[in-house]
C-alpha cells in the first residue's frame, strides 16, 4: 500500500506569537494568561511557565491565544528546533511556531514524533547571522507520511514506550549525579558562602595553566588520524568524545592540546547557559584534540588539589553562577571567559585528605553512572532506529 505524503501546511493551522511591550504594566501586572517563551521548550509537555500576561495584552499586542494540545516549535534561540506540546491554553512569543493539526487527518502524537525526528533537518535550514532562525515556511513545507490514523497511533505508541525507557534510564543517571552533588555539599558546604570556613585561594594558585587548542576549520571528510572536539563534548557535564569533527589532512596538533585520561575540560566560550561547563575524562580514544573554545586544567602540584574535587566544585550550581559572572559578550552572542578573570576567582580549598576521600566516593559512583550511561546510549540508538523505521514505512 502506498502511503500518502503531505505538506504540513495542507492539514495544519500554523502561526506565531509576539511579545507585549514591557513598558506597559497593564500587559503583565496580575496577568492570568500563560505566556510561553522559546527557552521553555525543553520537554515533551509545557506544564508551567515563568510569566503571565493580561487580556489587554492579548487584545493590544501580537500575542495570540493558542489552544491546549497544540504543538510548539522554537524557531530561534538556545532551544531552536525543539518541540513541545501545550497542556493548557496559552500565548507564545514570536520565536515560537504553533501547529494545530486536523485531528481527522493526523494524530497529534504522531506529528510530535515526526517533528522531533525532523530536528536535524530543521537545524540544517537555519538562516541568519548572530542568531540563526528557522522560518515558518520551512516548517510548513515539511512533508510527512500519513498512514491511516490507527497506524499513526500505533507508531506513536511504540515510540512513546521506547522514549519512556530511555527517559527512565536518564533519570536514574540524574539521581546518581544528585547524590554526588549532595555528598559534595555535605562534606564541603556551599562553596560560595563557605560555611565551614575553608581556606580561600585563587584558582590560579592551584591551576598552573588552562591549555586550549586553535580555531580550526574542519572539513566534512578527512584522512587525518585526529579529531577535533566540539564544545558539546563537555556541555552535558559528561565527556562525550564522539562529539567531534574531522581534522584537516595536514593538521599537526600541539601535543599539549591532545585530550588524555584524567584531564579536566572546561568550556571557556558558549551561550550564557552553557559557558563554564566542566567534564572529567574517565576514558578517551587516542588523537582527540581540543578546539579553541575548550581548555584543560594543567596542574603540576596535585598535593594541593584533587581534580575530582575541582570538577564537582566547578559543577556546583552556586559556583557556576560565580563563573558565569566572569563571562563577557553582547546579548545574543557567544559568551567568553578570559584566563585572567578565571585565575583571579576565589575558591575554597579543603584539606587534601578530605578531597581525596570525596574523590574515592566519586570514582565508585561514576563507575555505576558509566554502566547506566552505556545502557542509555544503547536505548538512544534503538530510539533513533525506531524513528527512522517509523517514517520510512518499515516499523
Amino acid at each position: 500500500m502506498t502511503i500518502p505524503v503531505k505538506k504540513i501546511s495542507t492539514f495544519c493551522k500554523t502561526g506565531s506569537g509576539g511579545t507585549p511591550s514591557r513598558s506597559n504594566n497593564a500587559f503583565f501586572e496580575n496577568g492570568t494568561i500563560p505566556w510561553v517563551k522559546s527557552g521553555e521548550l525543553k520537554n515533551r509537555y509545557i506544564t508551567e511557565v515563568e510569566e503571565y500576561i493580561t487580556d489587554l495584552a492579548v487584545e493590544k499586542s501580537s500575542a495570540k491565544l493558542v489552544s491546549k494540545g497544540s504543538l510548539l516549535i522554537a524557531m530561534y534561540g538556545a532551544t531552536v528546533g525543539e518541540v513541545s506540546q501545550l497542556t493548557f491554553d496559552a500565548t507564545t512569543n514570536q520565536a515560537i511556531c504553533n501547529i494545530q493539526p486536523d485531528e481527522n487527518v493526523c494524530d497529534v502524537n504522531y506529528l510530535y514524533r515526526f517533528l522531533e525526528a525532523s530536528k536535524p533537518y530543521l537545524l540544517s535550514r537555519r538562516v541568519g547571522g548572530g542568531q540563526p532562525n528557522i522560518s515558518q515556511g520551512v516548517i510548513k513545507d515539511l512533508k510527512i507520511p500519513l498512514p491511516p490514523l490507527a497506524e499513526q497511533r500505533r507508531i506513536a505508541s511504540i515510540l512513546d514506550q521506547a522514549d519512556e525507557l530511555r527517559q527512565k534510564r536518564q533519570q536514574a543517571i540524574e539521581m546518581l549525579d544528585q547524590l554526588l552533588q549532595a555528598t559534595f555539599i555535605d562534606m564541603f558546604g556551599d562553596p560560595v558562602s563557605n560555611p565551614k570556613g575553608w581556606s580561600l585561594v585563587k584558582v590560579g594558585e592551584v591551576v598552573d595553566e588552562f591549555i586550549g587548542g586553535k580555531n580550526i576549520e574542519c572539513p566534512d571528510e578527512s584522512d587525518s588520524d585526529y579529531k577535533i572536539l566540539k564544545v558539546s563534548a563537555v556541555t552535558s557535564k559528561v565527556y562525550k568524545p564522539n562529539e567531534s569533527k574531522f581534522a584537516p589532512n595536514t593538521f599537526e596538533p600541539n601535543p599539549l592540546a591532545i585530550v588524555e585520561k584524567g584531564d579536566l575540560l572546561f568550556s571557556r566560550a558558549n551561550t550564557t547557559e552553557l559557558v563554564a561547563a566542566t567534564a572529567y575524562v574517565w576514558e578517551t580514544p587516542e588523537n582527540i584534540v581540543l578546539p579553541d573554545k575548550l581548555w584543560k586544567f594543567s596542574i603540576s602540584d596535585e598535593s594541593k588539589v584533587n581534580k575530582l574535587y575541582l570538577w564537582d566544585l566547578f559543577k556546583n550550581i552556586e559556583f557556576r553562577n560565580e563563573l558565569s559572572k566572569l563571562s563577557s559578550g553582547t546579548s545574543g552572542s557567544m559568551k567568553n571567559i578570559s584566563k585572567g578573570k578565571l585565575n583571579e576567582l576565589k575558591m575554597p580549598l579543603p584539606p587534601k585528605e578530605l578531597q581525596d576521600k570525596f574523590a574515592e566516593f566519586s570514582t565508585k559512583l561514576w563507575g555505576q553512572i558509566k554502566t547506566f550511561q552505556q545502557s542509555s546510549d544503547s536505548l538512544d540508538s534503538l530510539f533513533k532506529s525506531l524513528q527512522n523505521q517509523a517514517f520510512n514505512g518499515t516499523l
Side-chain angles (χ1 to χ4, degrees):
M1 180 182 70
T2 302
I3 299 174
V5 176
K6 294 185 178 182
K7 285 186 178 182
I8 282 178
S9 59
T10 63
F11 63 89
C12 292
K13 295 179 181 178
T14 62
S16 62
T19 300
S21 172
R22 292 189 180 275
S23 63
N24 190 334
N25 291 337
F27 286 171
F28 285 91
E29 191 172 348
N30 298 319
T32 59
I33 301 171
W35 183 59
V36 186
K37 300 186 286 292
S38 58
E40 295 173 307
L41 273 60
K42 298 176 181 178
N43 300 308
R44 167 72 186 269
Y45 297 106
I46 299 290
T47 58
E48 58 183 2
V49 297
E50 294 177 347
E51 295 187 274
Y52 293 79
I53 61 175
T54 62
D55 290 325
L56 182 65
V58 176
E59 180 184 346
K60 299 294 185 179
S61 77
S62 54
K64 302 292 187 296
L65 201 62
V66 182
S67 61
K68 173 183 176 180
S70 297
L71 300 177
L72 308 178
I73 298 182
M75 295 188 290
Y76 57 90
T79 56
V80 61
E82 292 294 332
V83 189
S84 295
Q85 186 173 13
L86 281 173
T87 58
F88 40 68
D89 294 347
T91 56
T92 75
N93 71 4
Q94 65 275 16
I96 293 175
C97 172
N98 64 76
I99 303 176
Q100 301 165 68
D102 181 341
E103 61 183 16
N104 295 313
V105 176
C106 182
D107 178 75
V108 68
N109 293 322
Y110 175 81
L111 179 58
Y112 169 82
R113 290 300 178 187
F114 173 79
L115 293 172
E116 178 187 46
S118 300
K119 181 180 176 180
Y121 170 77
L122 291 174
L123 294 180
S124 74
R125 297 298 306 276
R126 287 176 295 178
V127 297
Q131 193 174 54
N133 66 88
I134 302 167
S135 70
Q136 275 197 66
V138 169
I139 296 170
K140 292 164 71 172
D141 284 343
L142 281 172
K143 294 180 179 179
I144 176 173
L146 288 174
L149 282 170
E151 178 65 7
Q152 292 180 34
R153 293 178 184 127
R154 184 188 73 85
I155 290 171
S157 177
I158 291 173
L159 292 175
D160 284 348
Q161 292 175 58
D163 192 25
E164 184 178 0
L165 284 175
R166 66 177 192 154
Q167 294 297 334
K168 285 182 177 179
R169 181 58 68 197
Q170 191 58 41
Q171 287 167 10
I173 293 171
E174 290 170 2
M175 288 178 67
L176 288 174
D177 189 45
Q178 289 168 10
L179 172 60
L180 188 61
Q181 293 174 45
T183 303
F184 180 91
I185 293 296
D186 182 60
M187 292 179 69
F188 305 114
D190 181 330
V192 176
S193 62
N194 193 23
K196 300 199 176 188
W198 306 122
S199 298
L200 293 177
V201 300
K202 294 178 181 179
V203 170
E205 292 179 50
V206 294
V207 179
D208 300 311
E209 180 63 279
F210 291 97
I211 300 171
K214 296 181 179 179
N215 183 13
I216 300 167
E217 187 170 337
C218 296
D220 294 332
E221 295 182 4
S222 170
D223 293 326
S224 175
D225 292 331
Y226 295 99
K227 292 285 188 72
I228 309 297
L229 276 185
K230 299 178 183 178
V231 179
S232 56
V234 307
T235 48
S236 68
K237 299 180 290 186
V238 175
Y239 173 62
K240 296 181 178 180
N242 291 335
E243 290 286 318
S244 54
K245 300 177 287 187
F246 288 104
N249 287 329
T250 58
F251 177 70
E252 290 293 335
N254 174 359
L256 296 178
I258 296 176
V259 181
E260 298 179 339
K261 180 179 179 179
D263 282 341
L264 184 57
L265 308 183
F266 178 84
S267 64
R268 63 96 183 161
N270 211 317
T271 60
T272 302
E273 298 84 0
L274 298 176
V275 70
T278 315
Y280 185 81
V281 180
W282 294 100
E283 297 289 344
T284 186
E286 295 181 352
N287 299 335
I288 298 285
V289 183
L290 294 172
D292 63 319
K293 294 182 176 63
L294 291 179
W295 291 334
K296 66 174 171 179
F297 293 59
S298 175
I299 302 172
S300 59
D301 183 5
E302 296 192 10
S303 66
K304 291 183 180 180
V305 68
N306 189 300
K307 284 184 181 178
L308 290 178
Y309 165 75
L310 267 184
W311 182 25
D312 269 82
L313 171 66
F314 274 61
K315 284 194 300 179
N316 176 272
I317 187 168
E318 300 299 335
F319 198 75
R320 276 289 301 275
N321 288 338
E322 297 301 305
L323 286 165
S324 295
K325 292 176 185 177
L326 303 179
S327 63
S328 59
T330 58
S331 177
S333 69
M334 186 79 73
K335 299 293 184 179
N336 293 272
I337 296 177
S338 71
K339 290 182 182 179
K341 288 183 178 179
L342 186 53
N343 281 327
E344 290 297 312
L345 181 65
K346 293 287 186 68
M347 56 166 275
L349 191 66
K352 180 63 163 38
E353 296 79 10
L354 194 60
Q355 295 180 44
D356 291 342
K357 183 178 179 181
F358 173 77
E360 183 179 355
F361 175 76
S362 177
T363 300
K364 290 178 180 177
L365 197 63
W366 275 97
Q368 298 177 48
I369 291 176
K370 181 180 178 181
T371 300
F372 278 20
Q373 188 62 55
Q374 290 171 340
S375 173
S376 180
D377 291 344
S378 296
L379 289 171
D380 283 344
S381 297
L382 171 63
F383 183 74
K384 289 176 182 177
S385 175
L386 290 172
Q387 278 184 322
N388 291 332
Q389 294 175 55
F391 302 113
N392 66 20
T394 59
L395 183 59

